[in-house]
Amino acid sequence: MSDKRPDHLLDDELCWAEGGHASDIALTAIADGELSIVPSEVRAHVDTCLTCSGHVGNAALLSLHAGERLADLAPADRLTAPERRPVPVMAIVVGLAVAFAGALPTLLDAMRSPGELGRAIPILGRGAALLGRRLLDPGGTAGLVLVWGAALLLIGVAIGIMRLAPRKEEVSS
Amino acid sequence: MLSALMSTALLAGPAPVSVPEQTAELRPVVRSVVACVLKERPDHADVEDCTNEALRRALESQSELRGPLRPWVLGIARHVALDTIRARQKQRARTAQLQVPEDASSTNLLDRLADPSEGADAKLEQAERARRVRRLLATLPEGPRSALELFHLDGLGYQQIAERLGVPLGTVATWVTRGRRAMAEALEADERGGAR
Ligand SMILES: [Zn+2]
């Protein structure tokens, strides 16, 4: 029983223990839901063997316990860097391309009449300076609106994070 | 038109399995967990009752699910089985007409297993547990420790862990099994030492 299995399956020698029962390794894999890596004969045995299915329960409880203990740790305690989602490069490139295509007519117009662009820049500059003065004015409404708006935005983001963050298991009895 | 729709459906891949379907697939392992906690055979009537109850509660409260489904459902199964043990203990005490207080040590252990985050000083307990786990993780070899972190904290499967760490699948399975066992034994020894 030591023939080499395909790479996506556990080898026989890892799957069987003494007495014809499944090994701890196979039982742990089954308890973890890794059924696709356990050879079908081993799974068939576990399904019909009371001893092995009892041990699957043990392995599942051990897994549950280990997961709960590890979840207590701070991220800084980790040895391996957390798995990060890959940066969606393709989506960013497509987004930029669409934005560029959308802006293209305006850019072409602006390039055809550079004088207009030259006049627009000082107007935009004066507008930005005026907005800055209004916002920084201590008794001004604009500043007040900005402060309250920012506070509301922060509260909204905080509520969003609280709802999205994984919670500890809550079971109502 | 129809072929275009079909090819779009094929490109989209298999339809995602719903939470109720995934929960139903967990029935065998839920039954094993319940049998293990109750210390009964998997075909015992109480095991079947608890399994049904655990799956029913999981489906009923699926909106509370945060994170992976499997440990969440197994946690519910453990909770339901421990409730049954407590009910049995009370029933036995009533039948014997004894007003003996429940065995404090076993009740505490059951409570800890049922919900480790309960209690007034839960934060302190959690910090203490984290300190212990940190200490014992430092004693584990790098392979098992990384495999456990990637499995439990990042939710990676064995195959993904094997690719990430550049080792064969069998090595990952061995690391997870031995690492978990070593962790449980060390924590138990530590708790026994701390209780003394
Ligand atoms: Zn067996």
Side-chain angles (χ1 to χ4, degrees), chain A residues 51-123:
Chain A
T51 308
C52 284
S53 59
H55 287 159
V56 168
N58 237 324
L61 282 173
L62 208 58
S63 173
L64 200 56
H65 191 247
E68 287 165 350
R69 291 294 77 80
L70 285 171
D72 286 338
L73 291 178
D77 295 325
R78 294 193 55 170
L79 181 78
T80 44
E83 183 72 5
R84 288 180 201 287
R85 286 192 193 154
V87 178
V89 178
M90 200 57 202
I92 292 172
V93 168
V94 170
L96 285 175
V98 169
F100 182 73
L104 206 57
T106 318
L107 283 175
L108 287 176
D109 263 359
M111 272 153 71
R112 267 197 292 269
S113 47
E116 243 172 73
L117 193 69
R119 280 194 298 278
I121 288 172
I123 295 172

Side-chain angles (χ1 to χ4, degrees), chain A residues 7 9 11 15 23 25 28 34 45 47 71 73 86 90 103 110-111 121 135-136 142 144 147-148 151 158 161 168:
Chain A
D7 281 348
L9 280 180
D11 285 337
C15 288
S23 67
I25 291 171
T28 300
E34 296 281 338
H45 169 82
D47 283 344
L73 291 178
M90 200 57 202
M111 272 153 71
I121 288 172
L135 289 179
L136 293 175
L144 213 60
V147 168
W148 277 97
I161 289 172
K168 272 194 116 34

